[in-house]
Amino acid sequence: MIDAVNQMLRCFNWVRSDDIKEEKMHIEEKYIFPPDPLHNLVFTLDAANLNKCEVDIAFPRLLAELDLSPENQKLLLDQPIEKKCLMLTEQNAIRDKYGIGNSKIAEKFLEMIQEHNLLDSDNNLYILEALFISLRTQSHSYVESFVKLGGSGQLKSLLSECPRRPGLEQHAAAILLCFRALLNSTVGRLVVLSSNDTLCVIASSTCLSSAKCKVIFFVF
């Protein structure tokens, strides 16, 4: 009787639960890979094989690139040599992969914001937004290169144009964010705060109708 029922079910293309289990086991055997033995492996460094002189030279350079406060610098300087070496290795990998500290990127950004038609189209807004991200996330030497190339002055010129022309509130907000990013850097903060013209232009952005510009200004 059971065999007859099974034959009838197969005629209607039905599958028994046993067949489902067998098929599932077959799929699991075919597509599920064994666990990677290195997946949960913790890598450590042998302090005896580390070159302390090289670490002592390279680590202060890393701290300078991070542009940390004296308190945070001291905290990292007190770390064991294994931790310092791991930080150096990680930062070198990030720098090589993402171009951190590459002054040529700063030069390229400056070329783009110097174009006379930058404010003529909303399509160019992404350039200012990308510049803000780069100034916010790049290294100290990158921001220093941007400032030395006259980046702060160029941003000031662009921002001064925004109140004179309608429809540039979004551009002004992006430029203000760039100034905020500069203020997060020691060298950028010095350049911005030492220029009365730049501070006046930033303050004048409050006359724009955009609430975002006003909010950004008051959190400076």
Side-chain angles (χ1 to χ4, degrees):
M1 181 66 179
I2 295 176
D3 292 338
V5 172
N6 288 335
Q7 290 178 1
M8 292 174 61
L9 292 176
R10 280 196 290 270
C11 291
F12 290 98
N13 293 324
W14 289 10
V15 182
R16 293 175 301 164
S17 60
D18 292 341
D19 294 333
I20 295 175
K21 291 179 181 179
E22 291 178 1
E23 183 178 359
K24 183 178 180 181
M25 291 175 61
H26 175 69
I27 293 174
E28 289 178 349
E29 291 175 357
K30 184 176 181 180
Y31 294 104
I32 295 181
F33 298 95
D36 185 356
L38 299 179
H39 180 69
N40 295 321
L41 184 63
V42 177
F43 292 93
T44 58
L45 295 173
D46 184 4
N49 294 326
L50 298 178
N51 190 323
K52 187 176 184 301
C53 292
E54 291 183 0
V55 175
D56 289 341
I57 294 173
F59 198 71
R61 295 175 181 171
L62 170 61
L63 295 183
E65 284 293 318
L66 296 177
D67 197 22
L68 301 173
S69 65
E71 295 79 10
N72 289 331
Q73 287 191 32
K74 185 179 184 305
L75 182 64
L76 292 180
L77 284 171
D78 293 338
Q79 296 297 313
I81 187 173
E82 296 94 337
K83 179 67 174 179
K84 293 178 180 178
C85 192
L86 286 172
M87 289 182 63
L88 288 169
T89 302
E90 180 184 35
Q91 290 299 316
N92 287 336
I94 293 174
R95 181 188 60 199
D96 294 339
K97 184 174 182 179
Y98 298 105
I100 300 297
N102 190 343
S103 61
K104 292 184 178 180
I105 299 177
E107 294 174 5
K108 184 62 178 178
F109 266 118
L110 194 62
E111 290 177 4
M112 289 188 290
I113 66 175
Q114 285 176 336
E115 294 181 1
H116 66 279
N117 61 343
L118 180 68
L119 300 177
D120 293 343
S121 173
D122 290 342
N123 295 330
N124 295 330
L125 186 61
Y126 77 95
I127 297 175
L128 295 170
E129 293 172 343
L131 175 60
F132 158 64
I133 294 173
S134 71
L135 292 173
R136 187 71 178 84
T137 59
Q138 278 274 7
S139 64
H140 172 75
S141 60
Y142 174 89
V143 178
E144 186 177 36
S145 297
F146 180 80
V147 169
K148 286 183 176 180
L149 291 169
S152 178
Q154 187 62 35
L155 289 173
K156 179 198 70 175
S157 299
L158 290 172
L159 186 59
S160 65
E161 283 292 320
C162 293
R164 303 172 187 170
R165 298 163 57 180
L168 293 180
E169 286 80 7
Q170 287 185 317
H171 294 77
I175 296 170
L176 287 171
L177 287 174
C178 290
F179 276 118
R180 275 192 60 189
L182 287 176
L183 290 174
N184 288 330
S185 168
T186 303
V187 62
R189 183 164 56 249
L190 179 62
V191 170
V192 173
L193 297 182
S194 62
S195 172
N196 291 331
D197 291 341
T198 299
L199 294 176
C200 289
V201 170
I202 292 174
S204 67
S205 64
T206 56
C207 69
L208 294 168
S209 59
S210 171
K212 186 176 182 180
C213 291
K214 293 179 172 60
V215 170
I216 295 173
F217 170 78
F218 283 111
V219 296
F220 264 78

